[in-house]
Amino acid sequence: MQSIAPTAPTPAITAGNQSAKNRWRWLIPSFLDVFFACFMLWAFLAAPGGWQGLLRDADTGYHIRVGQWILQNHTAPIHNPFSFAAPELRWYAFEWLSQVGFAALFGWAGLKAVVLFSGVVLGITFTIVLRHAMWRGANALVSVALVLAAGSAATLHFHARPHIFTMLLLAISAWIIARDRARHTPLLWILPALAVVWANLHGGFAFFLVLAALLVVGCAIEGRFNDVRRYAGLLILSTAAITINPYGFRLPLHVFEAARAKWMLSLVDEFKAPDFRSESHLAFMVLLFLSLAVALPLLRKNQVTEVLWILFLGYSSLISVRHITAFAIVCVPIIAAEWTLLLAEWKPARPLQDAFSASADKFAHVSIWPAVFVCGIALAGGIAWPTDFDREDFPVAIAAAAPQPLLDQTRLFTTDQWANYLIFKNPNRRVFLDSQHQMYGEKILTDALGMMSGRPDWRELLDHYRIEVVLCPHGVALASLLEREGGWRKVMADDQATLFARSTLDADAGSNASAEFAHR
């Protein structure tokens, strides 16, 4: 009896089956889709603070109001519209495009739209970091572990603020450059166009320029002189591109000047060095050690640029915690690929390595389901969306109950974060200073800290700046001093803050409001 062997499919049929498979691929969830959904659940939906956690920083409210000012006036401000400390100072809304975007989102659906959009940007950013790592050949399990560690290290900057765009654009730029280093692609020349947008979104474009400069130096050391010319052209075009903004070349000069200001490192918390006590700082420490461990293998493969990036970003992060996110986003794909190779030499890990090996079929595509997931979050009931900032962190009660003339028609001094919140509640208020520290300079910021800490000349400073109302957190020296100062009276207080006003202001309004607030 003659046996009939199965007939092999013809190339046309195989191609047709593959084409049909590709047509329906957008309906098939991928590994990246699952990671995106899990990241959103971990970072926001199941996190202790929920979506409210993205509003731990009142800069969000400040940026919304600046964006509204720009939309109303159809121009970028050149003086601070909310502060009386130094009205003559040149001021730069160097995040104007982000601020307009946040203002538009807020006008559309309030703080819900702002935090949901910010969360999605963060989720996309770390999904790109994961895909970049696996494109480099990193094991999926190793990649996920390191990307989650990067997310943990970056949580200190999980805020609805313009820096989320720097995080996203850094992830995109690092991957495009890595692809071009492997094989030249026209995609590289998208980066100068991205630099134009970046320069109007956030000052973090400076990181990209430094990384591009290190890329040129690294290629020269590697002996890749054709690449030196290519990436020098990229650097020149990108440098020219960042001058396309409302302030021209003055904006990048201002950003670089602020980045070099030593007084910022000592006076502003987010510019200070990590203390390695919090979970995010410990995650950064682990990533830093892992990156230093692969420096020698990278040098042996003549990948000098990657080592320069690791050293520069690691050093920057050790100086200032605000740079940890850049280190995590740029360096984790490099670390993941190198540690995959190191672990491959360990025999007990090989079965696990094979099971989670990077494969285009398993990991490359993205389906429609992340968009469906985000829409589901937006429309689902039972989610606690923020309608205001957290009353445990900000003077929500006093801002609502205080006599409005005291807050709206006076020269008010408070902390930078509380000033941001008060600006958010009423953009017509004038505060001493807000969180845009680089605009004010060392003297004004030092004077603000001196008044709040009760420096010997605190009275002279209050008089010099003609401050009429003070909102003090409990426990600061100024609150105790004003309690005993004859020229000041307590208007109201709760378990978080005390509102003081000069005795020359309307006493009746203050006393009536204080009685009503106490009754509540």
Side-chain angles (χ1 to χ4, degrees):
M1 185 176 180
Q2 185 179 6
S3 63
I4 302 175
T7 304
T10 64
I13 295 175
T14 302
N17 289 342
Q18 184 63 38
S19 177
K21 181 179 178 182
N22 289 337
R23 280 199 303 270
W24 293 102
R25 200 168 186 176
W26 60 279
L27 289 174
I28 303 172
S30 71
F31 182 82
L32 294 177
D33 301 334
V34 174
F35 174 83
F36 173 81
C38 291
F39 185 90
M40 296 289 286
L41 287 168
W42 167 71
F44 310 115
L45 290 168
W51 293 102
Q52 190 76 44
L54 285 164
L55 298 178
R56 294 190 304 268
D57 191 318
D59 282 25
T60 306
Y62 173 85
H63 291 304
I64 288 170
R65 296 310 183 195
V66 174
Q68 290 176 335
W69 190 98
I70 294 171
L71 290 173
Q72 291 167 4
N73 293 275
H74 307 289
T75 186
I78 59 173
H79 298 291
N80 192 333
F82 307 119
S83 170
F84 63 84
E88 74 286 351
L89 284 180
R90 179 83 184 186
W91 197 77
Y92 299 91
F94 60 91
E95 299 158 330
W96 74 270
L97 189 56
S98 298
Q99 292 162 338
V100 167
F102 283 138
L105 288 167
F106 182 77
W108 174 48
L111 290 175
K112 172 183 176 179
V114 174
V115 297
L116 178 59
F117 173 81
S118 301
V120 170
V121 170
L122 290 169
I124 292 172
T125 297
F126 285 92
T127 303
I128 291 173
V129 174
L130 176 65
R131 183 66 188 94
H132 179 186
M134 292 188 295
W135 173 85
R136 284 180 173 268
N139 176 274
L141 192 61
V142 172
S143 299
V144 169
L146 291 177
V147 171
L148 289 178
S152 179
T155 51
L156 76 166
H157 274 144
F158 277 14
H159 303 301
R161 284 172 44 186
H163 65 240
I164 62 173
F165 297 109
T166 281
M167 296 167 72
L168 175 62
L169 293 172
L170 265 180
I172 294 171
S173 301
W175 191 11
I176 288 176
I177 290 172
R179 290 173 67 95
D180 194 79
R181 275 170 62 76
R183 182 179 181 180
H184 288 177
T185 168
L187 197 62
L188 180 75
W189 304 111
I190 292 176
L191 293 180
L194 282 181
V196 174
V197 180
W198 201 339
N200 293 278
L201 286 170
H202 185 250
F205 65 82
F207 262 121
F208 170 66
L209 294 183
V210 174
L211 292 179
L214 291 175
L215 175 62
V216 174
V217 173
C219 288
I221 297 173
E222 294 164 358
R224 301 169 60 171
F225 298 109
N226 287 335
D227 283 353
V228 170
R229 289 189 291 271
R230 181 178 179 84
Y231 297 130
L234 172 67
L235 178 60
I236 292 169
L237 287 175
S238 299
T239 303
I242 64 172
T243 63
I244 303 175
N245 65 77
Y247 306 97
F249 69 91
R250 289 189 299 270
L251 187 144
L253 290 178
H254 169 76
V255 171
F256 279 104
E257 182 182 351
R260 293 187 295 106
K262 293 183 179 180
W263 59 269
M264 294 275 284
L265 300 178
S266 59
L267 297 179
V268 182
D269 286 342
E270 68 174 344
F271 282 89
K272 294 180 179 178
D275 58 17
F276 296 108
R277 290 188 176 90
S278 66
E279 179 182 340
S280 61
H281 291 181
L282 291 174
F284 160 64
M285 181 172 65
V286 171
L287 292 175
L288 182 61
F289 286 149
L290 291 176
S291 68
L292 294 176
V294 300
L296 186 58
L298 286 169
L299 289 174
R300 287 172 178 165
K301 291 185 287 188
N302 200 31
Q303 294 182 352
V304 177
T305 296
E306 284 76 4
V307 175
L308 292 177
W309 283 3
I310 288 172
L311 293 177
F312 165 70
L313 292 171
Y315 171 76
S316 299
S317 302
L318 289 172
I319 290 177
S320 172
V321 294
R322 66 181 285 121
H323 299 148
I324 288 176
T325 53
F327 169 85
I329 288 167
V330 174
C331 296
V332 157
I334 302 169
I335 300 168
E338 292 304 310
W339 273 98
T340 296
L341 295 175
L342 292 174
L343 291 174
E345 300 175 3
W346 187 37
K347 289 184 179 180
R350 285 180 184 174
L352 202 59
Q353 287 270 71
D354 294 338
F356 290 91
S357 61
S359 164
D361 290 336
K362 287 188 279 187
F363 304 121
H365 80 282
V366 176
S367 73
I368 195 175
W369 294 110
V372 173
F373 177 76
V374 172
C375 291
I377 293 174
L379 299 175
I383 297 178
W385 295 103
T387 57
D388 200 345
F389 287 76
D390 195 332
R391 61 178 54 247
E392 293 185 4
D393 297 324
F394 302 99
V396 176
I398 284 185
Q404 294 310 301
L406 279 183
L407 297 183
D408 298 348
Q409 301 171 19
T410 58
R411 297 164 70 91
L412 186 147
F413 172 66
T414 187
T415 68
D416 54 357
Q417 280 294 303
W418 285 12
N420 285 349
Y421 176 72
L422 293 175
I423 291 169
F424 171 68
K425 299 305 289 185
N426 184 351
N428 294 318
R429 288 172 179 154
R430 294 296 175 265
V431 298
F432 179 69
L433 91 169
D434 47 55
S435 61
Q436 303 300 294
H437 309 105
Q438 73 283 352
M439 305 290 185
Y440 295 98
E442 182 177 8
K443 182 182 186 310
I444 290 178
L445 185 56
T446 302
D447 285 348
L449 294 172
M451 285 186 281
M452 198 61 76
S453 63
R455 205 170 68 189
D457 60 345
W458 66 271
R459 290 186 187 86
E460 290 77 10
L461 290 173
L462 289 172
D463 293 338
H464 172 73
Y465 290 109
R466 294 186 290 121
I467 292 168
E468 299 169 304
V469 175
V470 175
L471 180 60
C472 280
H474 287 327
V476 301
L478 184 59
S480 300
L481 293 169
L482 290 177
E483 287 268 10
R484 302 190 298 269
E485 185 68 13
W488 292 79
R489 59 187 172 84
K490 181 192 294 186
V491 177
M492 60 178 57
D494 61 10
D495 57 358
Q496 182 187 42
T498 304
L499 181 67
F500 297 94
R502 287 191 183 270
S503 301
T504 53
L505 295 179
D506 184 4
D508 292 335
S511 60
N512 293 338
S514 181
E516 181 183 354
F517 188 74
H519 179 69
R520 291 179 184 179

